[in-house]
Amino acid sequence: MAAYLQWRRFVFFDRETVKEPSGPDGAGAKPFALPPGIAVCDSGRGSLVFGDILCGAGRCQIWFLPRSLQLSSFQAYKLRVTHLYQLKQHSILVSVGEDEEGINPLVKVWNLEKRDGGNPLCTRIFPAIPGNKPTVVSCLTVHENLNFMAIGFADGSVVLTKGDITRDRHSKTQILHDGSYPVTGLAFRQSGKTTHLFVVTTENIQSYMLSVKDYPHLELDTHGCGLRCSSLSDPSQDLQFIVAGNECVYLYQPDERGPCFAFEGQKLIVHWYRGYLIIVSKDRKTSPKSEFAGNEAQNSDKQVLNIYDLCNKFIAYSSIFDDIVDVLAEWGSLYVLTRDGKIHVLQEKDTQTKLEACKYMLFRKNLFEMAINLAKSHHLDSDGLSEIFRQYGDHLYNKGNHDGAIQQYIRTIGKLEPSYVIRKFLDAQRIHNLTAYLQMLHLQSLANADHTTLLLNCYTKLKDSSKLEEFIKTSESEVHFDVETAIKVLRQAGYYSHAVYLAEKHEHHEWYLKIQLEDIKNYQEALHYIGKLPFEQAESNMKRYGKILMHHVPNETTELLKILCTDYRPSGGNEDPGMLEGKKANSEEFIPVFANNSRELKAFLEHMTEVQADSPQGVYDTLLELRLQNWAHEQDEQIKEKLHNEALTLLKSGRFKTVFDKALVLCQMHSFKDGVLYLYEQGKLFQQIMHYHMQNEQYKKVIEVCELYGDQEACLWEQALGYFARKEENCKEYVAAVLKHIENKNLMPPLLVVQTLAHNSTATLSVIKDYLVNKLQKQSRQIEQDEQRIQKYREETTRIRLEIEELKASPKIFQKTKCSICTSALELPSVHFLCGHSFHQHCFESYSESDSECPTCMPENRKVMDMIRAQEQKRDLHDQFQHQLKCSNDGFSVVADYFGRGVFNKLTLITDLPSGKTATTIEAGLQRELLIHTKRST
């Protein structure tokens, strides 16, 4: 029970008297006056509705007062109107009145939208009599769905009309309640599909369930109220039935009694308006009267109108009036009708004005809870509420109630800057309050990285592991903090297991691996975690952390790299299930991972070359270098031979064609002779092969190289002769072999051979005797052949000259009878040539390319002419060269220019000679080589 005297009083309404509209002259308007005799009233559908009793005009009217204050009326009854009920959602008015003397009340239903002779259409009339005994109607109510109407009587009866109340045919009337005490109030309550009817008498209160057959009822209380002292609240009070007794005001649900408020005084009128309870009661200064005499005139009485806010427990308005007829609600205001015909309007102030008016008083008296409730009930915006919470929190903080203060500050989250609160609670003794605030800040997803850092530091300072785990182990959809920041803070505070959990849960792979490798040093777990990652992330993390893992867990790391570079599929099933084929990384990019782990590197590279023949070239290059290193450093002969074969096999795999120079350099660096020679052979570097044997003075190998590759590069024999000629020891056997091949292939002039061998002190005439004899014999035979050929050419020339002279001096007789092209008999016209060929004219024109040349002799003639032109060009070129050489001041530049044009044969030199030779010997060798090619060119 709430004590009425403890409730605060406010003035949330402005009171004014309704005045008539101003005239055209602008003179002050006088108070508006209702017609005399007003007995009942109601409101709705934009009008105030009044009913009067028999007046001087001899008829009883129902009046309508719109907002424009232009009264209109129509005759509803002949004697009096006793009850009116205007529906709020329909233009239907229900009235009860009398047309004749005696107890004979009539119920009329009016459709205000339809007209009958200028008046509203009366759709239904029936007598209001419960059974056969006439009695006075005490109250009336109608359901907004037009399917229920209840009429209460002074004898305690209640008549219920079910169906369409606007028509007689579609409704059914029955006695719902039959009691001994006058019925003083009725009200329908609709909750979903359930309909209840509250019935209150002077002695009890009952509830009927109309949505169930037989209408079961329940008695709610054993005391009642007077007429017009009950009402139904709105949804803000859960549609409770309000009953006002002289001692208290009671609220009822359909099945039980609710709260009770101690409002003393004799209640005359009760209404509910927009969350307010309106009570008109007798002023305590006057004598009380009967509670069932609410309709009687009380001209000398003063009455108090109070407007209560039951939720917030304060009085929104209180004022004294003279003899109130009723209180109506329309157009967003309250209208108070008094017996003198005046209308007083109570206009509710706007929310901001009300709050400003009461806030100062409430704050000054530290009534923050009431201020908050008031602001909420009037739907103050969140900014305004936040300011009240802040001031309330400041008040509690200043009083030392830090727990209460933090609760108010929490209610400001989202509006008040968090730093305002955080600064107040940075003291170590208030860290639990700060923790509560930061927790709520995170729950509302309004925390930044700094707030997360601060909250985690609070947990660690408090050593509250349970709260810390609860904070970080929320589901992914409920994360309200920056995960990366949390991981950093936990790692810094030494909570590695929590940091690892957070990193793994939210897939911060880099942080997970950092903590595992740098802090926990759990290398095996880190490697296992990488194996569960998607391909791209596994690849990048192995590049980043591969060296560390290789140092501590080399075997496992090597195995993972093998899988990653061949057919990778995450062990945890994190990859796209629709991807059937595994992915593979570039194995060459992981070679740096194996620094200082040559054994694992060799195993990795050999695995890659076996399972993936198209591995990158860098894999083969590194494997070759690794095998050569192992071969060079191995001491055991058997193992060395095995390594030798492996390296040579790799060279012969054909994978080094594009990187020939690199492979050659590797073999030379490690003195891998067989590999060097193999690569020389593959690169057709025959001179280098011979030079290699020359350096090692392997004479037989030099001869073998010449025999193998001399056909492809003839200068090898010449170089071999020069090499043996420079040797001081006895090399007659090898010189003879070289001379024999030079003789057979005619590779050098004899004079140059003699000059070459003249530098060898051990080479005697007997070495070249056979060579010179054979060469002279061949030259003699060649001279004889040349002389015979010259004689033949001379005779041929003489013959041709005689023919020319004959053609010039004697006529030519053409005796050909057949065409030289078609071999058919010649017919005129024909064409004859001095060479003796004859043609039909049409054959000649078809096959001849020139009118002056014989088609048969033309191919041979062209060959001859081409040879002549070529000789002339060579002669001209030689003459031009000789002329430029004689006229130029720098003859060497002329020779160099012609060399650049390719006029002379390319000169081949051996640039590297066996060690121990002097510069003079080298220069002499170069001169001999130049002489060889010069002779060959001439």
Side-chain angles (χ1 to χ4, degrees):
M1 180 178 293
Y4 163 73
L5 295 178
Q6 296 177 355
W7 286 26
R8 301 286 171 178
R9 292 177 179 268
F10 300 101
V11 182
F12 285 173
F13 289 82
D14 292 325
R15 173 178 172 177
E16 293 182 3
T17 302
V18 177
K19 297 183 178 180
E20 294 182 355
S22 301
D25 56 355
K30 60 182 181 179
F32 182 82
L34 290 173
I38 296 297
V40 292
C41 54
D42 203 356
S43 63
R45 308 298 293 178
S47 296
L48 303 182
V49 186
F50 311 109
D52 59 11
I53 59 176
L54 182 62
C55 56
R59 59 184 180 177
C60 187
Q61 302 280 339
I62 292 180
W63 301 83
F64 294 94
L65 180 65
R67 198 164 192 176
S68 62
L69 302 182
Q70 301 296 323
L71 271 171
S72 62
S73 65
F74 70 95
Q75 183 178 3
Y77 296 93
K78 295 180 180 179
L79 290 181
R80 63 180 63 85
V81 179
T82 59
H83 296 82
L84 289 175
Y85 192 94
Q86 172 67 58
L87 276 79
K88 304 300 183 288
Q89 300 177 13
H90 304 276
S91 295
I92 300 294
L93 175 65
V94 180
S95 63
V96 179
E98 299 176 359
D99 283 339
E100 57 187 24
E101 294 293 343
I103 302 176
N104 189 22
L106 291 176
V107 179
K108 296 184 179 181
V109 181
W110 308 90
N111 189 331
L112 303 181
E113 292 181 346
K114 297 181 180 180
R115 295 289 169 177
D116 181 13
N119 296 328
L121 176 64
C122 182
T123 61
R124 184 180 182 185
I125 302 175
F126 64 93
I129 300 175
N132 297 322
K133 48 183 180 179
T135 184
V136 176
V137 174
S138 59
C139 53
L140 167 71
T141 187
V142 181
H143 199 292
E144 286 293 335
N145 64 11
L146 300 178
N147 286 326
F148 292 103
M149 179 169 59
I151 304 173
F153 296 91
D155 65 353
S157 302
V158 176
V159 173
L160 177 67
T161 300
K162 183 178 179 182
D164 188 353
I165 65 167
T166 62
R167 298 182 181 181
D168 290 326
R169 295 181 181 178
H170 301 285
S171 63
K172 179 181 179 182
T173 301
Q174 67 183 82
I175 298 176
L176 179 68
H177 175 79
D178 192 4
S180 304
Y181 306 103
V183 178
T184 56
L186 298 169
F188 287 107
R189 182 184 188 274
Q190 186 71 40
S191 178
K193 295 183 179 181
T194 304
T195 304
H196 289 89
L197 174 64
F198 290 102
V199 178
V200 57
T201 68
T202 57
E203 298 297 333
N204 57 31
I205 304 170
Q206 299 191 29
S207 169
Y208 287 83
M209 183 180 292
L210 304 182
S211 53
V212 178
K213 189 177 180 181
D214 297 333
Y215 308 139
H217 69 281
L218 177 67
E219 186 175 29
L220 300 177
D221 217 332
T222 56
H223 59 80
C225 65
L227 285 173
R228 300 195 299 172
C229 290
S230 63
S231 182
L232 189 71
S233 69
D234 59 19
S236 67
Q237 281 291 333
D238 199 19
L239 297 174
Q240 296 185 92
F241 187 55
I242 302 170
V243 177
N246 289 337
E247 300 296 331
C248 298
V249 174
Y250 301 93
L251 277 66
Y252 296 91
Q253 294 284 357
D255 54 352
E256 63 179 353
R257 191 175 81 172
C260 167
F261 299 91
F263 300 148
E264 297 180 354
Q266 182 182 353
K267 313 300 187 300
L268 302 177
I269 301 173
V270 174
H271 287 294
W272 186 267
Y273 168 74
R274 291 187 176 182
Y276 292 113
L277 175 62
I278 302 169
I279 297 179
V280 178
S281 59
K282 294 215 22 112
D283 190 358
R284 294 182 180 180
K285 297 179 181 179
T286 62
S287 59
K289 296 186 177 181
S290 172
E291 63 179 7
F292 192 65
N295 290 340
E296 297 179 2
Q298 300 174 1
N299 295 330
S300 60
D301 289 345
K302 294 287 185 179
Q303 297 171 356
V304 180
L305 184 145
N306 289 319
I307 301 178
Y308 299 95
D309 187 329
L310 300 184
C311 292
N312 299 312
K313 295 181 174 55
F314 65 84
I315 302 174
Y317 183 76
S318 180
S319 182
I320 297 177
F321 292 86
D322 292 329
D323 202 358
I324 298 175
V325 175
D326 208 343
V327 181
L328 305 178
E330 193 67 26
W331 310 309
S333 301
L334 290 173
Y335 293 87
V336 183
L337 280 65
T338 55
R339 194 67 62 184
D340 57 4
K342 294 181 181 180
I343 303 177
H344 304 272
V345 59
L346 299 180
Q347 180 70 44
E348 187 176 10
K349 297 178 181 179
D350 62 87
T351 302
Q352 194 62 35
T353 302
K354 289 189 291 186
L355 291 175
E356 291 298 330
C358 70
K359 198 185 298 182
Y360 174 75
M361 181 186 72
L362 293 177
F363 288 178
R364 185 181 61 184
K365 296 182 178 182
N366 300 326
L367 299 175
F368 291 98
E369 288 291 350
M370 180 175 288
I372 293 169
N373 294 334
L374 179 62
K376 287 182 177 179
S377 64
H378 287 80
H379 308 291
L380 183 64
D381 59 20
S382 56
D383 292 333
L385 277 172
S386 178
E387 178 61 21
I388 299 174
F389 294 142
R390 183 194 65 79
Q391 293 188 34
Y392 191 15
D394 291 346
H395 168 71
L396 295 175
Y397 181 85
N398 293 330
K399 289 177 62 178
N401 184 2
H402 299 122
D403 293 340
I406 203 66
Q407 295 303 318
Q408 298 307 316
Y409 287 135
I410 286 174
R411 301 167 80 178
T412 67
I413 290 177
K415 298 298 179 182
L416 182 62
E417 177 61 35
S419 60
Y420 177 87
V421 180
I422 293 172
R423 284 197 300 268
K424 291 178 177 290
F425 293 90
L426 286 177
D427 190 280
Q429 296 178 352
R430 303 169 190 168
I431 193 171
H432 63 282
N433 299 125
L434 179 58
T435 304
Y437 179 81
L438 292 172
Q439 283 177 338
M440 191 58 64
L441 197 64
H442 282 81
L443 285 176
Q444 297 188 23
S445 302
L446 296 174
N448 57 27
D450 294 333
H451 299 147
T452 302
T453 302
L454 188 56
L455 177 58
L456 292 174
N457 283 328
C458 288
Y459 284 142
T460 55
K461 293 289 185 183
L462 293 171
K463 300 188 182 301
D464 193 347
S465 299
S466 60
K467 282 287 186 181
L468 180 59
E469 291 185 3
E470 180 183 351
F471 178 74
I472 68 173
K473 292 185 178 180
T474 55
S475 64
E476 188 170 350
S477 60
E478 298 175 354
V479 174
H480 304 286
F481 57 89
D482 184 74
V483 176
E484 186 171 357
T485 301
I487 294 172
K488 290 179 182 178
V489 175
L490 291 170
R491 184 189 184 196
Q492 186 177 6
Y495 285 78
Y496 300 127
S497 60
H498 295 78
V500 164
Y501 169 83
L502 210 54
E504 181 177 13
K505 177 181 179 181
H506 298 281
E507 298 182 354
H508 286 258
H509 309 307
E510 183 177 352
W511 280 108
Y512 179 91
L513 295 172
K514 271 186 179 181
I515 299 169
Q516 288 282 20
L517 296 174
E518 298 175 11
D519 301 318
I520 304 177
K521 302 192 182 303
N522 190 343
Y523 306 103
Q524 192 71 43
E525 186 62 31
L527 189 65
H528 177 69
Y529 183 82
I530 293 176
K532 296 189 296 183
L533 297 179
F535 171 76
E536 291 79 8
Q537 296 171 359
E539 181 185 24
S540 63
N541 281 294
M542 281 305 294
K543 290 178 181 178
R544 185 179 294 112
Y545 302 110
K547 289 184 179 180
I548 300 175
L549 293 170
M550 183 61 67
H551 179 70
H552 293 91
V553 281
N555 295 331
E556 294 82 352
T557 305
T558 303
E559 290 302 317
L560 179 57
L561 286 175
K562 289 179 181 179
I563 298 173
L564 187 64
C565 296
T566 52
D567 186 19
Y568 180 76
R569 290 182 175 86
S571 59
N574 295 328
E575 199 77 15
D576 184 3
M579 187 174 296
L580 300 178
E581 296 184 2
K583 296 182 179 180
K584 57 184 179 180
N586 186 347
S587 52
E588 184 178 2
E589 296 177 355
F590 293 97
I591 293 176
V593 170
F594 293 89
N596 303 321
N597 293 81
S598 58
R599 182 174 60 86
E600 286 76 13
L601 176 59
K602 183 173 180 291
F604 172 73
L605 296 176
E606 289 177 347
H607 173 79
M608 293 307 303
T609 55
E610 290 173 5
V611 302
Q612 189 175 319
D614 59 343
S615 294
Q617 185 61 44
V619 172
Y620 287 91
D621 295 345
T622 308
L623 181 58
L624 175 61
E625 183 178 4
L626 197 60
R627 287 183 175 179
L628 290 175
Q629 285 179 358
N630 294 339
W631 171 82
H633 295 90
E634 183 58 51
Q635 300 298 326
D636 190 302
E637 291 299 327
Q638 292 183 352
I639 300 177
K640 193 177 185 72
E641 181 64 23
K642 178 182 178 183
L643 295 174
H644 174 278
N645 295 334
E646 289 178 354
L648 194 60
T649 303
L650 183 60
L651 277 174
K652 293 181 179 180
S653 65
R655 295 293 307 183
F656 298 93
K657 295 180 180 179
T658 58
V659 289
F660 173 84
D661 295 338
K662 186 174 182 180
L664 182 59
V665 169
L666 289 173
C667 291
Q668 289 175 340
M669 286 174 57
H670 296 88
S671 301
F672 190 58
K673 179 184 69 173
D674 292 345
V676 171
L677 294 176
Y678 172 78
L679 292 172
Y680 280 161
E681 181 181 357
Q682 292 298 308
K684 299 186 183 302
L685 301 176
F686 307 127
Q687 294 186 38
Q688 278 78 357
I689 296 175
M690 190 171 68
H691 173 58
Y692 180 85
H693 293 309
M694 287 177 178
Q695 284 182 324
N696 293 279
E697 298 184 352
Q698 297 173 336
Y699 303 147
K700 291 184 178 180
K701 292 290 185 181
V702 172
I703 299 300
E704 289 177 3
V705 170
C706 293
E707 291 175 349
L708 288 173
Y709 311 117
D711 294 340
Q712 302 179 50
E713 196 165 341
C715 64
L716 294 176
W717 291 105
E718 301 167 7
Q719 294 175 11
L721 181 62
Y723 168 73
F724 289 123
R726 290 190 293 273
K727 287 294 183 180
E728 296 299 331
E729 65 237 40
N730 189 359
C731 298
K732 295 179 181 179
E733 178 185 354
Y734 305 109
V735 171
V738 172
L739 286 175
K740 182 179 180 181
H741 192 84
I742 290 175
E743 179 187 355
N744 294 335
K745 297 293 183 179
N746 193 24
L747 299 177
M748 294 177 65
L751 182 59
L752 186 57
V753 172
V754 174
Q755 291 176 348
T756 301
L757 292 175
H759 294 279
N760 191 335
S761 59
T762 61
T764 60
L765 184 60
S766 61
V767 176
I768 60 172
K769 175 183 177 182
D770 294 339
Y771 168 76
L772 290 176
V773 170
N774 292 335
K775 196 68 176 177
L776 290 173
Q777 289 176 354
K778 286 183 180 180
Q779 288 184 353
S780 297
R781 288 193 295 268
Q782 185 66 38
I783 290 171
E784 291 177 0
Q785 291 176 2
D786 290 343
E787 288 178 350
Q788 292 175 2
R789 195 177 292 112
I790 290 170
Q791 183 61 32
K792 179 181 177 183
Y793 286 159
R794 284 176 179 174
E795 292 174 356
E796 184 71 20
T797 302
T798 302
R799 184 184 62 79
I800 292 173
R801 285 176 177 172
L802 290 175
E803 288 181 2
I804 293 172
E805 289 297 329
E806 185 180 355
L807 288 173
K808 289 181 178 180
S810 301
K812 178 69 174 177
I813 299 173
F814 301 105
Q815 297 178 344
K816 288 280 186 179
T817 60
K818 293 184 179 181
C819 176
S820 298
I821 294 177
C822 66
T823 69
S824 300
L826 284 174
E827 298 177 354
L828 296 177
S830 58
V831 179
H832 305 275
F833 285 89
L834 294 177
C835 61
H837 296 104
S838 299
F839 308 93
H840 292 111
Q841 185 174 359
H842 62 84
C843 289
F844 174 75
E845 292 176 350
S846 299
Y847 290 96
S848 176
E849 295 181 6
S850 175
D851 294 340
S852 59
E853 293 186 71
C854 173
T856 304
C857 299
M858 184 174 61
E860 189 66 27
N861 291 340
R862 284 189 176 180
K863 292 181 180 179
V864 175
M865 292 304 295
D866 290 340
M867 293 173 61
I868 293 173
R869 281 194 293 270
Q871 291 177 355
E872 289 177 351
Q873 289 177 359
K874 288 183 179 180
R875 185 177 67 250
D876 293 342
L877 183 62
H878 177 73
D879 294 342
Q880 183 181 3
F881 172 70
Q882 293 293 336
H883 176 72
Q884 290 184 3
L885 194 61
K886 290 178 181 180
C887 298
S888 175
N889 294 328
D890 185 4
F892 182 77
S893 64
V894 175
V895 175
D897 181 50
Y898 274 82
F899 265 108
R901 298 183 189 178
V903 174
F904 308 107
N905 289 337
K906 184 179 180 181
L907 180 64
T908 303
L909 298 177
I910 295 180
T911 57
D912 297 331
L913 294 175
S915 58
K917 301 300 180 181
T918 63
T920 305
T921 306
I922 295 173
E923 183 177 0
L926 293 175
Q927 290 176 354
R928 283 195 299 276
E929 295 297 326
L930 178 61
L931 179 60
I932 290 172
H933 289 286
T934 305
K935 293 291 184 180
R936 290 171 63 186
S937 299
T938 58

